[in-house]
Amino acid sequence: MKIVIPILILSAAIVLTGCLDDPDCNSQTTNFVNIKFYNSDNNEVDTLNINEITISGTDSVFLEETDASYIKLPLRPDTVQTTFIFDSELGIDTLILKYNIGTRLVSEDCGIEMVFSELDYTRSDFESIEVVNKILVEQVTEDVKIFN
């Protein structure tokens, strides 16, 4: 029994270090923007009754008939701005987000990934908007605040 435990520990160490040679190809970047809705009177998270959200230049409807305090929407990778049309309880609102698209080499084995940076807005029909994160990464849960 005394010899079994060291053998198990040694085996586990060999297996785990064998995985270290493989590159970590998990991308940390994303083309999704995280939007949270806030009440402009008290700056607390608020819920918006959304009929639908579409992206100009596409036929897709990204959200339909939902109450949301948080949404995650894709930015178009084929251009440097995306126009979102919100049909909600407030009426029709347009939000145009602009950004830079760059690439970075993850590793020789993994290749390159797209990096969405310098996020900002050029137009918003909402009462107020604040961009709180300029570079889109997976770990961040809030990129844009919309106040109503």
Side-chain angles (χ1 to χ4, degrees):
M1 187 64 164
K2 289 181 180 182
I3 190 93
V4 173
I5 292 174
I7 290 175
L8 286 175
I9 292 172
L10 182 61
S11 298
I14 290 172
V15 168
L16 291 175
T17 57
C19 295
L20 293 177
D21 294 338
D22 295 335
D24 182 14
C25 293
N26 294 332
S27 177
Q28 302 300 312
T29 64
T30 183
N31 71 317
F32 283 90
V33 61
N34 298 298
I35 300 172
K36 283 190 182 175
F37 299 103
Y38 288 85
N39 183 315
S40 59
D41 294 331
N42 58 17
N43 291 337
E44 292 184 9
V45 175
D46 198 8
T47 300
L48 182 64
N49 183 301
I50 298 170
N51 298 322
E52 72 178 22
I53 298 176
T54 57
I55 295 179
S56 181
T58 70
D59 296 337
S60 300
V61 175
F62 287 93
L63 277 177
E64 283 186 300
E65 301 294 327
T66 188
D67 291 335
S69 58
Y70 162 85
I71 56 174
K72 190 173 192 173
L73 296 172
L75 296 179
R76 292 182 53 176
D78 60 331
T79 183
V80 293
Q81 76 175 23
T82 302
T83 302
F84 299 101
I85 298 104
F86 290 75
D87 179 359
S88 72
E89 63 187 317
L90 304 173
I92 306 293
D93 293 302
T94 300
L95 171 64
I96 301 175
L97 296 176
K98 68 175 185 168
Y99 42 88
N100 291 334
I101 302 173
T103 57
R104 78 173 185 99
L105 179 65
V106 177
S107 73
E108 247 182 66
D109 294 329
C110 299
I112 61 170
E113 66 180 357
M114 294 179 80
V115 178
F116 289 77
S117 62
E118 299 303 317
L119 181 67
D120 207 350
Y121 69 96
T122 60
R123 175 183 169 193
S124 172
D125 294 336
F126 291 99
E127 185 174 316
S128 179
I129 185 169
E130 179 184 350
V131 176
V132 294
N133 184 40
K134 300 266 186 195
I135 300 174
L136 301 182
V137 292
E138 287 286 337
Q139 297 83 0
V140 174
T141 60
E142 182 177 56
D143 300 308
V144 175
K145 292 181 177 183
I146 293 179
F147 297 90
N148 287 306

